[in-house]
Amino acid sequence: MVTAYVMVKANTGEADRLKNAITDLDGVVDAHIVAGDVDIVAKLDVDSTADVKAVAADGIQGVEGVENTQTYIAMD
């Protein structure tokens, strides 16, 4: 199992809608709207690093209103 965290920068006023859309994606186990440089932090639990790429790049980045993402893979 691979755990990763995806930091999501959203278009202004889109955070609530994006959080719901991101949470609905396979592999996303949790998402929170946060204060700071990013708007949403999503937690992924998937089988492989290839799955992280698929969820982050194809899934989350494909949601309309997502401006940018940064992905961090947990090492422990």
Side-chain angles (χ1 to χ4, degrees):
M1 183 68 70
V2 177
T3 300
Y5 296 90
V6 181
M7 310 300 135
V8 180
K9 183 70 177 161
N11 286 339
T12 303
E14 296 277 348
D16 287 319
R17 181 186 66 78
L18 290 177
K19 177 187 171 229
N20 293 332
I22 289 167
T23 302
D24 288 342
L25 295 171
D26 288 338
V28 177
V29 295
D30 208 358
H32 296 277
I33 296 172
V34 297
D37 292 337
V38 298
D39 301 298
I40 298 168
V41 175
K43 180 180 179 184
L44 282 55
D45 280 332
V46 294
D47 291 329
S48 69
T49 55
D51 292 334
V52 171
K53 179 184 178 290
V55 175
D58 301 333
I60 294 174
Q61 288 181 3
V63 175
E64 185 173 338
V66 170
E67 289 183 7
N68 191 24
T69 64
Q70 295 179 344
T71 303
Y72 299 90
I73 295 176
M75 301 300 287
D76 63 352

